[in-house]
Amino acid sequence: MGAGAMTICHNKAAVQVKEDMKKMVQMPIPRPRIVAPKHTKVFGASLFELRNQGLLENGVPLVVRRMVEHLRKHALHQEGLFRVNGNVRAVETLKQHLEGGGDVNLLSESDSCTVASLLKQYLRDLPGGLVVMTVQQALIQHYQERGGDDDTWADVRHLLLQLPDVHYSLLHYLCHFLTLVESSHKDNRMTALNLATVFGPSVFHVAPGFEALKEQNICNKIMAKLIQNYNNIFETNTDREDYAKEEASPIIAECDFIYDIIFCPVTWMIDGLHKQPCVMSR
């Protein structure tokens, strides 16, 4: 091959390399896909939604258990617990971390005031309030009629049993925790009345209006009674379980009766007062 032909081939190859490099430069560079952390709405979601998502344990939201356990271990003797508010930005940051589903170390990332403030916010954000309006109005009426006598705790218990089961479970859990806080009131200065003043507006969502201030005052007093009479109201309560058994027993009896007719026919004895029991196992 002559020198001229070699020169032409070299030039063509150089042009091709330049074209290939130009295409490579113009091609978009693939970037790694960033997967956003999973965000699950917990604050502002109903207890029924959380139960359907498996975010309850024994009727109590997992996020509430985490906050309460942190406060129980590290803040029961802290003066002004629940009365001293946490930093607004810190509270919001902790809320986002908890809803993000990550492993949040409350002890290292947040002070107790922040956790306490977020617990109150959770209750305030609960749709319809922890004590639903129908039960709330019945409690207010009962208080107005009976004057908040201490010997009427059985009536209060009966009214609370009308709450949805998940609402009752969370109220039970919360009041138990508040009795622990109150038992250290010499250190933390949080008596039952002080705790009721703080938690009353969070637990009882009073509708705005002319009577709002009066009703909130009554609800705070009811909240104090729930803490002061916790054992009488909650710990001796078997009505909910008994009611469930009573509701289920007719259904069970009917099912047994149908089963016996279809699968286990009975042979009656001649005396008419006794029937031969079926020996077929179920």
Side-chain angles (χ1 to χ4, degrees), residues 146-181:
R146 303 297 297 270
D149 295 337
D150 288 337
D151 60 352
T152 62
W153 52 261
D155 297 332
V156 173
R157 182 182 66 182
H158 175 73
L159 293 174
L160 292 178
L161 286 172
Q162 299 177 29
L163 288 170
D165 56 350
V166 285
H167 285 245
Y168 181 89
S169 296
L170 179 52
L171 181 63
H172 185 174
Y173 181 82
L174 175 66
C175 289
H176 176 263
F177 169 61
L178 294 181
T179 61
L180 299 179
V181 177

PDB file of all heavy atoms in Angstrom, residues 146-181:
ATOM      1  N   ARG A 146     -72.917  14.720  89.335  1.00  0.00           N
ATOM      2  CA  ARG A 146     -72.431  14.118  90.575  1.00  0.00           C
ATOM      3  C   ARG A 146     -71.364  14.951  91.275  1.00  0.00           C
ATOM      4  O   ARG A 146     -70.919  14.596  92.365  1.00  0.00           O
ATOM      5  CB  ARG A 146     -71.864  12.713  90.289  1.00  0.00           C
ATOM      6  CG  ARG A 146     -72.862  11.780  89.619  1.00  0.00           C
ATOM      7  CD  ARG A 146     -74.066  11.503  90.505  1.00  0.00           C
ATOM      8  NE  ARG A 146     -73.694  10.824  91.714  1.00  0.00           N
ATOM      9  CZ  ARG A 146     -73.652   9.492  91.834  1.00  0.00           C
ATOM     10  NH1 ARG A 146     -73.954   8.730  90.788  1.00  0.00           N
ATOM     11  NH2 ARG A 146     -73.316   8.931  92.970  1.00  0.00           N
ATOM     12  N   GLY A 147     -70.928  16.022  90.630  1.00  0.00           N
ATOM     13  CA  GLY A 147     -69.963  16.904  91.273  1.00  0.00           C
ATOM     14  C   GLY A 147     -68.585  16.306  91.437  1.00  0.00           C
ATOM     15  O   GLY A 147     -67.794  16.764  92.254  1.00  0.00           O
ATOM     16  N   GLY A 148     -68.276  15.267  90.671  1.00  0.00           N
ATOM     17  CA  GLY A 148     -66.949  14.680  90.742  1.00  0.00           C
ATOM     18  C   GLY A 148     -66.679  13.929  92.026  1.00  0.00           C
ATOM     19  O   GLY A 148     -65.529  13.855  92.481  1.00  0.00           O
ATOM     20  N   ASP A 149     -67.705  13.335  92.637  1.00  0.00           N
ATOM     21  CA  ASP A 149     -67.504  12.567  93.872  1.00  0.00           C
ATOM     22  C   ASP A 149     -66.569  11.393  93.617  1.00  0.00           C
ATOM     23  O   ASP A 149     -66.644  10.716  92.593  1.00  0.00           O
ATOM     24  CB  ASP A 149     -68.848  12.034  94.389  1.00  0.00           C
ATOM     25  CG  ASP A 149     -69.775  13.175  94.811  1.00  0.00           C
ATOM     26  OD1 ASP A 149     -69.250  14.259  95.107  1.00  0.00           O
ATOM     27  OD2 ASP A 149     -70.996  12.965  94.819  1.00  0.00           O
ATOM     28  N   ASP A 150     -65.701  11.132  94.585  1.00  0.00           N
ATOM     29  CA  ASP A 150     -64.731  10.055  94.437  1.00  0.00           C
ATOM     30  C   ASP A 150     -65.380   8.675  94.442  1.00  0.00           C
ATOM     31  O   ASP A 150     -64.786   7.706  93.968  1.00  0.00           O
ATOM     32  CB  ASP A 150     -63.678  10.123  95.561  1.00  0.00           C
ATOM     33  CG  ASP A 150     -62.735  11.295  95.371  1.00  0.00           C
ATOM     34  OD1 ASP A 150     -62.591  11.757  94.229  1.00  0.00           O
ATOM     35  OD2 ASP A 150     -62.149  11.742  96.381  1.00  0.00           O
ATOM     36  N   ASP A 151     -66.581   8.559  94.987  1.00  0.00           N
ATOM     37  CA  ASP A 151     -67.210   7.240  95.082  1.00  0.00           C
ATOM     38  C   ASP A 151     -67.975   6.876  93.810  1.00  0.00           C
ATOM     39  O   ASP A 151     -68.719   5.892  93.796  1.00  0.00           O
ATOM     40  CB  ASP A 151     -68.148   7.182  96.295  1.00  0.00           C
ATOM     41  CG  ASP A 151     -69.259   8.227  96.223  1.00  0.00           C
ATOM     42  OD1 ASP A 151     -69.201   9.079  95.325  1.00  0.00           O
ATOM     43  OD2 ASP A 151     -70.171   8.176  97.075  1.00  0.00           O
ATOM     44  N   THR A 152     -67.817   7.664  92.754  1.00  0.00           N
ATOM     45  CA  THR A 152     -68.532   7.367  91.510  1.00  0.00           C
ATOM     46  C   THR A 152     -67.584   6.811  90.448  1.00  0.00           C
ATOM     47  O   THR A 152     -67.882   6.869  89.264  1.00  0.00           O
ATOM     48  CB  THR A 152     -69.218   8.633  90.964  1.00  0.00           C
ATOM     49  OG1 THR A 152     -68.208   9.617  90.663  1.00  0.00           O
ATOM     50  CG2 THR A 152     -70.197   9.201  91.964  1.00  0.00           C
ATOM     51  N   TRP A 153     -66.447   6.281  90.877  1.00  0.00           N
ATOM     52  CA  TRP A 153     -65.482   5.779  89.903  1.00  0.00           C
ATOM     53  C   TRP A 153     -66.041   4.623  89.093  1.00  0.00           C
ATOM     54  O   TRP A 153     -65.658   4.401  87.952  1.00  0.00           O
ATOM     55  CB  TRP A 153     -64.184   5.365  90.599  1.00  0.00           C
ATOM     56  CG  TRP A 153     -64.347   4.421  91.746  1.00  0.00           C
ATOM     57  CD1 TRP A 153     -64.371   4.733  93.064  1.00  0.00           C
ATOM     58  CD2 TRP A 153     -64.518   3.004  91.675  1.00  0.00           C
ATOM     59  NE1 TRP A 153     -64.542   3.609  93.835  1.00  0.00           N
ATOM     60  CE2 TRP A 153     -64.635   2.523  92.998  1.00  0.00           C
ATOM     61  CE3 TRP A 153     -64.577   2.089  90.629  1.00  0.00           C
ATOM     62  CZ2 TRP A 153     -64.799   1.179  93.293  1.00  0.00           C
ATOM     63  CZ3 TRP A 153     -64.752   0.747  90.934  1.00  0.00           C
ATOM     64  CH2 TRP A 153     -64.864   0.307  92.249  1.00  0.00           C
ATOM     65  N   ALA A 154     -66.977   3.850  89.689  1.00  0.00           N
ATOM     66  CA  ALA A 154     -67.568   2.726  88.950  1.00  0.00           C
ATOM     67  C   ALA A 154     -68.370   3.229  87.756  1.00  0.00           C
ATOM     68  O   ALA A 154     -68.367   2.616  86.686  1.00  0.00           O
ATOM     69  CB  ALA A 154     -68.461   1.903  89.877  1.00  0.00           C
ATOM     70  N   ASP A 155     -69.058   4.372  87.928  1.00  0.00           N
ATOM     71  CA  ASP A 155     -69.814   4.962  86.821  1.00  0.00           C
ATOM     72  C   ASP A 155     -68.860   5.438  85.724  1.00  0.00           C
ATOM     73  O   ASP A 155     -69.139   5.280  84.535  1.00  0.00           O
ATOM     74  CB  ASP A 155     -70.661   6.133  87.315  1.00  0.00           C
ATOM     75  CG  ASP A 155     -71.716   5.702  88.326  1.00  0.00           C
ATOM     76  OD1 ASP A 155     -72.153   4.534  88.244  1.00  0.00           O
ATOM     77  OD2 ASP A 155     -72.083   6.519  89.186  1.00  0.00           O
ATOM     78  N   VAL A 156     -67.747   6.031  86.145  1.00  0.00           N
ATOM     79  CA  VAL A 156     -66.759   6.494  85.172  1.00  0.00           C
ATOM     80  C   VAL A 156     -66.197   5.307  84.388  1.00  0.00           C
ATOM     81  O   VAL A 156     -66.033   5.366  83.170  1.00  0.00           O
ATOM     82  CB  VAL A 156     -65.622   7.261  85.882  1.00  0.00           C
ATOM     83  CG1 VAL A 156     -64.510   7.603  84.904  1.00  0.00           C
ATOM     84  CG2 VAL A 156     -66.163   8.525  86.530  1.00  0.00           C
ATOM     85  N   ARG A 157     -65.920   4.226  85.103  1.00  0.00           N
ATOM     86  CA  ARG A 157     -65.413   3.029  84.446  1.00  0.00           C
ATOM     87  C   ARG A 157     -66.397   2.530  83.411  1.00  0.00           C
ATOM     88  O   ARG A 157     -66.014   2.155  82.290  1.00  0.00           O
ATOM     89  CB  ARG A 157     -65.134   1.939  85.483  1.00  0.00           C
ATOM     90  CG  ARG A 157     -64.559   0.660  84.890  1.00  0.00           C
ATOM     91  CD  ARG A 157     -64.347  -0.396  85.958  1.00  0.00           C
ATOM     92  NE  ARG A 157     -65.609  -0.851  86.513  1.00  0.00           N
ATOM     93  CZ  ARG A 157     -65.712  -1.748  87.483  1.00  0.00           C
ATOM     94  NH1 ARG A 157     -64.628  -2.249  88.027  1.00  0.00           N
ATOM     95  NH2 ARG A 157     -66.888  -2.125  87.923  1.00  0.00           N
ATOM     96  N   HIS A 158     -67.658   2.508  83.761  1.00  0.00           N
ATOM     97  CA  HIS A 158     -68.687   2.049  82.829  1.00  0.00           C
ATOM     98  C   HIS A 158     -68.731   2.912  81.575  1.00  0.00           C
ATOM     99  O   HIS A 158     -68.878   2.398  80.458  1.00  0.00           O
ATOM    100  CB  HIS A 158     -70.056   2.055  83.529  1.00  0.00           C
ATOM    101  CG  HIS A 158     -71.189   1.702  82.611  1.00  0.00           C
ATOM    102  ND1 HIS A 158     -71.400   0.419  82.160  1.00  0.00           N
ATOM    103  CD2 HIS A 158     -72.167   2.477  82.050  1.00  0.00           C
ATOM    104  CE1 HIS A 158     -72.452   0.403  81.367  1.00  0.00           C
ATOM    105  NE2 HIS A 158     -72.932   1.637  81.283  1.00  0.00           N
ATOM    106  N   LEU A 159     -68.583   4.212  81.745  1.00  0.00           N
ATOM    107  CA  LEU A 159     -68.604   5.114  80.588  1.00  0.00           C
ATOM    108  C   LEU A 159     -67.369   4.902  79.711  1.00  0.00           C
ATOM    109  O   LEU A 159     -67.465   4.920  78.486  1.00  0.00           O
ATOM    110  CB  LEU A 159     -68.683   6.571  81.058  1.00  0.00           C
ATOM    111  CG  LEU A 159     -69.989   6.989  81.741  1.00  0.00           C
ATOM    112  CD1 LEU A 159     -69.881   8.410  82.280  1.00  0.00           C
ATOM    113  CD2 LEU A 159     -71.161   6.878  80.768  1.00  0.00           C
ATOM    114  N   LEU A 160     -66.233   4.694  80.330  1.00  0.00           N
ATOM    115  CA  LEU A 160     -65.004   4.487  79.561  1.00  0.00           C
ATOM    116  C   LEU A 160     -65.047   3.194  78.757  1.00  0.00           C
ATOM    117  O   LEU A 160     -64.404   3.083  77.710  1.00  0.00           O
ATOM    118  CB  LEU A 160     -63.785   4.475  80.485  1.00  0.00           C
ATOM    119  CG  LEU A 160     -63.434   5.807  81.158  1.00  0.00           C
ATOM    120  CD1 LEU A 160     -62.230   5.633  82.077  1.00  0.00           C
ATOM    121  CD2 LEU A 160     -63.160   6.887  80.127  1.00  0.00           C
ATOM    122  N   LEU A 161     -65.799   2.224  79.227  1.00  0.00           N
ATOM    123  CA  LEU A 161     -65.914   0.957  78.505  1.00  0.00           C
ATOM    124  C   LEU A 161     -66.646   1.114  77.177  1.00  0.00           C
ATOM    125  O   LEU A 161     -66.627   0.211  76.346  1.00  0.00           O
ATOM    126  CB  LEU A 161     -66.637  -0.079  79.367  1.00  0.00           C
ATOM    127  CG  LEU A 161     -65.813  -0.663  80.517  1.00  0.00           C
ATOM    128  CD1 LEU A 161     -66.679  -1.513  81.420  1.00  0.00           C
ATOM    129  CD2 LEU A 161     -64.654  -1.477  79.972  1.00  0.00           C
ATOM    130  N   GLN A 162     -67.272   2.263  76.995  1.00  0.00           N
ATOM    131  CA  GLN A 162     -67.944   2.529  75.726  1.00  0.00           C
ATOM    132  C   GLN A 162     -66.979   3.037  74.659  1.00  0.00           C
ATOM    133  O   GLN A 162     -67.365   3.213  73.498  1.00  0.00           O
ATOM    134  CB  GLN A 162     -69.072   3.542  75.948  1.00  0.00           C
ATOM    135  CG  GLN A 162     -70.140   3.057  76.911  1.00  0.00           C
ATOM    136  CD  GLN A 162     -71.212   4.110  77.179  1.00  0.00           C
ATOM    137  OE1 GLN A 162     -71.492   4.943  76.330  1.00  0.00           O
ATOM    138  NE2 GLN A 162     -71.808   4.074  78.368  1.00  0.00           N
ATOM    139  N   LEU A 163     -65.740   3.276  75.039  1.00  0.00           N
ATOM    140  CA  LEU A 163     -64.730   3.683  74.068  1.00  0.00           C
ATOM    141  C   LEU A 163     -64.397   2.534  73.120  1.00  0.00           C
ATOM    142  O   LEU A 163     -64.489   1.369  73.510  1.00  0.00           O
ATOM    143  CB  LEU A 163     -63.446   4.116  74.778  1.00  0.00           C
ATOM    144  CG  LEU A 163     -63.450   5.446  75.531  1.00  0.00           C
ATOM    145  CD1 LEU A 163     -62.177   5.571  76.368  1.00  0.00           C
ATOM    146  CD2 LEU A 163     -63.560   6.620  74.561  1.00  0.00           C
ATOM    147  N   PRO A 164     -63.990   2.845  71.890  1.00  0.00           N
ATOM    148  CA  PRO A 164     -63.455   1.778  71.025  1.00  0.00           C
ATOM    149  C   PRO A 164     -62.282   1.095  71.711  1.00  0.00           C
ATOM    150  O   PRO A 164     -61.541   1.736  72.467  1.00  0.00           O
ATOM    151  CB  PRO A 164     -63.004   2.553  69.768  1.00  0.00           C
ATOM    152  CG  PRO A 164     -63.830   3.810  69.772  1.00  0.00           C
ATOM    153  CD  PRO A 164     -64.031   4.160  71.216  1.00  0.00           C
ATOM    154  N   ASP A 165     -62.103  -0.182  71.470  1.00  0.00           N
ATOM    155  CA  ASP A 165     -61.107  -0.944  72.220  1.00  0.00           C
ATOM    156  C   ASP A 165     -59.701  -0.361  72.138  1.00  0.00           C
ATOM    157  O   ASP A 165     -58.982  -0.314  73.148  1.00  0.00           O
ATOM    158  CB  ASP A 165     -61.105  -2.411  71.757  1.00  0.00           C
ATOM    159  CG  ASP A 165     -60.882  -2.550  70.256  1.00  0.00           C
ATOM    160  OD1 ASP A 165     -60.917  -1.521  69.555  1.00  0.00           O
ATOM    161  OD2 ASP A 165     -60.689  -3.683  69.793  1.00  0.00           O
ATOM    162  N   VAL A 166     -59.294   0.105  70.952  1.00  0.00           N
ATOM    163  CA  VAL A 166     -57.939   0.647  70.828  1.00  0.00           C
ATOM    164  C   VAL A 166     -57.794   1.965  71.581  1.00  0.00           C
ATOM    165  O   VAL A 166     -56.725   2.275  72.122  1.00  0.00           O
ATOM    166  CB  VAL A 166     -57.550   0.827  69.342  1.00  0.00           C
ATOM    167  CG1 VAL A 166     -57.244  -0.513  68.709  1.00  0.00           C
ATOM    168  CG2 VAL A 166     -58.631   1.570  68.570  1.00  0.00           C
ATOM    169  N   HIS A 167     -58.858   2.754  71.639  1.00  0.00           N
ATOM    170  CA  HIS A 167     -58.820   4.002  72.402  1.00  0.00           C
ATOM    171  C   HIS A 167     -58.745   3.697  73.899  1.00  0.00           C
ATOM    172  O   HIS A 167     -58.002   4.353  74.636  1.00  0.00           O
ATOM    173  CB  HIS A 167     -60.063   4.841  72.090  1.00  0.00           C
ATOM    174  CG  HIS A 167     -60.017   5.516  70.758  1.00  0.00           C
ATOM    175  ND1 HIS A 167     -59.976   6.888  70.617  1.00  0.00           N
ATOM    176  CD2 HIS A 167     -59.983   5.014  69.500  1.00  0.00           C
ATOM    177  CE1 HIS A 167     -59.933   7.203  69.334  1.00  0.00           C
ATOM    178  NE2 HIS A 167     -59.943   6.074  68.634  1.00  0.00           N
ATOM    179  N   TYR A 168     -59.511   2.718  74.323  1.00  0.00           N
ATOM    180  CA  TYR A 168     -59.477   2.337  75.736  1.00  0.00           C
ATOM    181  C   TYR A 168     -58.095   1.824  76.131  1.00  0.00           C
ATOM    182  O   TYR A 168     -57.572   2.169  77.189  1.00  0.00           O
ATOM    183  CB  TYR A 168     -60.536   1.265  76.010  1.00  0.00           C
ATOM    184  CG  TYR A 168     -60.592   0.825  77.452  1.00  0.00           C
ATOM    185  CD1 TYR A 168     -61.400   1.487  78.366  1.00  0.00           C
ATOM    186  CD2 TYR A 168     -59.830  -0.258  77.898  1.00  0.00           C
ATOM    187  CE1 TYR A 168     -61.444   1.090  79.691  1.00  0.00           C
ATOM    188  CE2 TYR A 168     -59.870  -0.655  79.214  1.00  0.00           C
ATOM    189  CZ  TYR A 168     -60.683   0.014  80.112  1.00  0.00           C
ATOM    190  OH  TYR A 168     -60.708  -0.380  81.419  1.00  0.00           O
ATOM    191  N   SER A 169     -57.493   1.001  75.278  1.00  0.00           N
ATOM    192  CA  SER A 169     -56.180   0.430  75.590  1.00  0.00           C
ATOM    193  C   SER A 169     -55.124   1.512  75.738  1.00  0.00           C
ATOM    194  O   SER A 169     -54.302   1.483  76.662  1.00  0.00           O
ATOM    195  CB  SER A 169     -55.763  -0.559  74.490  1.00  0.00           C
ATOM    196  OG  SER A 169     -56.641  -1.655  74.444  1.00  0.00           O
ATOM    197  N   LEU A 170     -55.142   2.493  74.836  1.00  0.00           N
ATOM    198  CA  LEU A 170     -54.159   3.571  74.906  1.00  0.00           C
ATOM    199  C   LEU A 170     -54.396   4.452  76.128  1.00  0.00           C
ATOM    200  O   LEU A 170     -53.441   4.855  76.807  1.00  0.00           O
ATOM    201  CB  LEU A 170     -54.200   4.411  73.630  1.00  0.00           C
ATOM    202  CG  LEU A 170     -53.236   5.606  73.578  1.00  0.00           C
ATOM    203  CD1 LEU A 170     -51.811   5.191  73.906  1.00  0.00           C
ATOM    204  CD2 LEU A 170     -53.312   6.298  72.221  1.00  0.00           C
ATOM    205  N   LEU A 171     -55.657   4.744  76.444  1.00  0.00           N
ATOM    206  CA  LEU A 171     -55.959   5.544  77.629  1.00  0.00           C
ATOM    207  C   LEU A 171     -55.498   4.831  78.889  1.00  0.00           C
ATOM    208  O   LEU A 171     -54.926   5.439  79.802  1.00  0.00           O
ATOM    209  CB  LEU A 171     -57.459   5.837  77.702  1.00  0.00           C
ATOM    210  CG  LEU A 171     -57.922   6.688  78.896  1.00  0.00           C
ATOM    211  CD1 LEU A 171     -57.311   8.083  78.834  1.00  0.00           C
ATOM    212  CD2 LEU A 171     -59.442   6.766  78.941  1.00  0.00           C
ATOM    213  N   HIS A 172     -55.754   3.539  78.952  1.00  0.00           N
ATOM    214  CA  HIS A 172     -55.310   2.707  80.077  1.00  0.00           C
ATOM    215  C   HIS A 172     -53.793   2.790  80.225  1.00  0.00           C
ATOM    216  O   HIS A 172     -53.266   3.023  81.324  1.00  0.00           O
ATOM    217  CB  HIS A 172     -55.755   1.263  79.818  1.00  0.00           C
ATOM    218  CG  HIS A 172     -55.478   0.330  80.947  1.00  0.00           C
ATOM    219  ND1 HIS A 172     -55.907  -0.975  80.956  1.00  0.00           N
ATOM    220  CD2 HIS A 172     -54.798   0.493  82.111  1.00  0.00           C
ATOM    221  CE1 HIS A 172     -55.518  -1.563  82.071  1.00  0.00           C
ATOM    222  NE2 HIS A 172     -54.834  -0.695  82.789  1.00  0.00           N
ATOM    223  N   TYR A 173     -53.091   2.611  79.136  1.00  0.00           N
ATOM    224  CA  TYR A 173     -51.618   2.633  79.131  1.00  0.00           C
ATOM    225  C   TYR A 173     -51.107   4.005  79.561  1.00  0.00           C
ATOM    226  O   TYR A 173     -50.173   4.106  80.369  1.00  0.00           O
ATOM    227  CB  TYR A 173     -51.137   2.286  77.726  1.00  0.00           C
ATOM    228  CG  TYR A 173     -49.637   2.246  77.571  1.00  0.00           C
ATOM    229  CD1 TYR A 173     -48.900   1.121  77.948  1.00  0.00           C
ATOM    230  CD2 TYR A 173     -48.947   3.325  77.025  1.00  0.00           C
ATOM    231  CE1 TYR A 173     -47.521   1.081  77.786  1.00  0.00           C
ATOM    232  CE2 TYR A 173     -47.567   3.290  76.857  1.00  0.00           C
ATOM    233  CZ  TYR A 173     -46.863   2.169  77.239  1.00  0.00           C
ATOM    234  OH  TYR A 173     -45.493   2.135  77.090  1.00  0.00           O
ATOM    235  N   LEU A 174     -51.698   5.053  79.030  1.00  0.00           N
ATOM    236  CA  LEU A 174     -51.261   6.413  79.350  1.00  0.00           C
ATOM    237  C   LEU A 174     -51.475   6.729  80.825  1.00  0.00           C
ATOM    238  O   LEU A 174     -50.576   7.269  81.490  1.00  0.00           O
ATOM    239  CB  LEU A 174     -52.026   7.422  78.483  1.00  0.00           C
ATOM    240  CG  LEU A 174     -51.756   8.894  78.782  1.00  0.00           C
ATOM    241  CD1 LEU A 174     -50.322   9.274  78.452  1.00  0.00           C
ATOM    242  CD2 LEU A 174     -52.743   9.785  78.013  1.00  0.00           C
ATOM    243  N   CYS A 175     -52.652   6.405  81.345  1.00  0.00           N
ATOM    244  CA  CYS A 175     -52.942   6.711  82.742  1.00  0.00           C
ATOM    245  C   CYS A 175     -52.028   5.927  83.685  1.00  0.00           C
ATOM    246  O   CYS A 175     -51.627   6.439  84.736  1.00  0.00           O
ATOM    247  CB  CYS A 175     -54.413   6.418  83.050  1.00  0.00           C
ATOM    248  SG  CYS A 175     -55.556   7.603  82.293  1.00  0.00           S
ATOM    249  N   HIS A 176     -51.702   4.709  83.318  1.00  0.00           N
ATOM    250  CA  HIS A 176     -50.761   3.940  84.135  1.00  0.00           C
ATOM    251  C   HIS A 176     -49.410   4.645  84.193  1.00  0.00           C
ATOM    252  O   HIS A 176     -48.799   4.774  85.265  1.00  0.00           O
ATOM    253  CB  HIS A 176     -50.601   2.529  83.581  1.00  0.00           C
ATOM    254  CG  HIS A 176     -49.585   1.712  84.313  1.00  0.00           C
ATOM    255  ND1 HIS A 176     -48.284   1.564  83.872  1.00  0.00           N
ATOM    256  CD2 HIS A 176     -49.657   1.024  85.491  1.00  0.00           C
ATOM    257  CE1 HIS A 176     -47.604   0.823  84.727  1.00  0.00           C
ATOM    258  NE2 HIS A 176     -48.416   0.479  85.713  1.00  0.00           N
ATOM    259  N   PHE A 177     -48.944   5.106  83.050  1.00  0.00           N
ATOM    260  CA  PHE A 177     -47.675   5.826  83.015  1.00  0.00           C
ATOM    261  C   PHE A 177     -47.747   7.107  83.846  1.00  0.00           C
ATOM    262  O   PHE A 177     -46.808   7.430  84.591  1.00  0.00           O
ATOM    263  CB  PHE A 177     -47.300   6.147  81.569  1.00  0.00           C
ATOM    264  CG  PHE A 177     -46.158   7.107  81.436  1.00  0.00           C
ATOM    265  CD1 PHE A 177     -44.901   6.805  81.954  1.00  0.00           C
ATOM    266  CD2 PHE A 177     -46.337   8.331  80.805  1.00  0.00           C
ATOM    267  CE1 PHE A 177     -43.839   7.701  81.838  1.00  0.00           C
ATOM    268  CE2 PHE A 177     -45.289   9.227  80.689  1.00  0.00           C
ATOM    269  CZ  PHE A 177     -44.038   8.919  81.203  1.00  0.00           C
ATOM    270  N   LEU A 178     -48.855   7.825  83.758  1.00  0.00           N
ATOM    271  CA  LEU A 178     -48.974   9.078  84.496  1.00  0.00           C
ATOM    272  C   LEU A 178     -49.019   8.846  86.007  1.00  0.00           C
ATOM    273  O   LEU A 178     -48.585   9.700  86.786  1.00  0.00           O
ATOM    274  CB  LEU A 178     -50.217   9.850  84.036  1.00  0.00           C
ATOM    275  CG  LEU A 178     -50.170  10.349  82.589  1.00  0.00           C
ATOM    276  CD1 LEU A 178     -51.433  11.132  82.245  1.00  0.00           C
ATOM    277  CD2 LEU A 178     -48.927  11.190  82.326  1.00  0.00           C
ATOM    278  N   THR A 179     -49.509   7.691  86.434  1.00  0.00           N
ATOM    279  CA  THR A 179     -49.454   7.391  87.872  1.00  0.00           C
ATOM    280  C   THR A 179     -48.007   7.205  88.323  1.00  0.00           C
ATOM    281  O   THR A 179     -47.651   7.552  89.455  1.00  0.00           O
ATOM    282  CB  THR A 179     -50.256   6.117  88.209  1.00  0.00           C
ATOM    283  OG1 THR A 179     -49.711   4.992  87.511  1.00  0.00           O
ATOM    284  CG2 THR A 179     -51.720   6.298  87.837  1.00  0.00           C
ATOM    285  N   LEU A 180     -47.168   6.665  87.444  1.00  0.00           N
ATOM    286  CA  LEU A 180     -45.745   6.526  87.761  1.00  0.00           C
ATOM    287  C   LEU A 180     -45.082   7.896  87.869  1.00  0.00           C
ATOM    288  O   LEU A 180     -44.245   8.127  88.752  1.00  0.00           O
ATOM    289  CB  LEU A 180     -45.030   5.684  86.694  1.00  0.00           C
ATOM    290  CG  LEU A 180     -45.522   4.245  86.515  1.00  0.00           C
ATOM    291  CD1 LEU A 180     -44.724   3.552  85.414  1.00  0.00           C
ATOM    292  CD2 LEU A 180     -45.413   3.475  87.830  1.00  0.00           C
ATOM    293  N   VAL A 181     -45.451   8.791  86.959  1.00  0.00           N
ATOM    294  CA  VAL A 181     -44.917  10.162  87.020  1.00  0.00           C
ATOM    295  C   VAL A 181     -45.370  10.832  88.313  1.00  0.00           C
ATOM    296  O   VAL A 181     -44.576  11.465  89.018  1.00  0.00           O
ATOM    297  CB  VAL A 181     -45.379  10.973  85.794  1.00  0.00           C
ATOM    298  CG1 VAL A 181     -44.880  12.425  85.897  1.00  0.00           C
ATOM    299  CG2 VAL A 181     -44.876  10.345  84.500  1.00  0.00           C
TER     300      VAL A 181
END
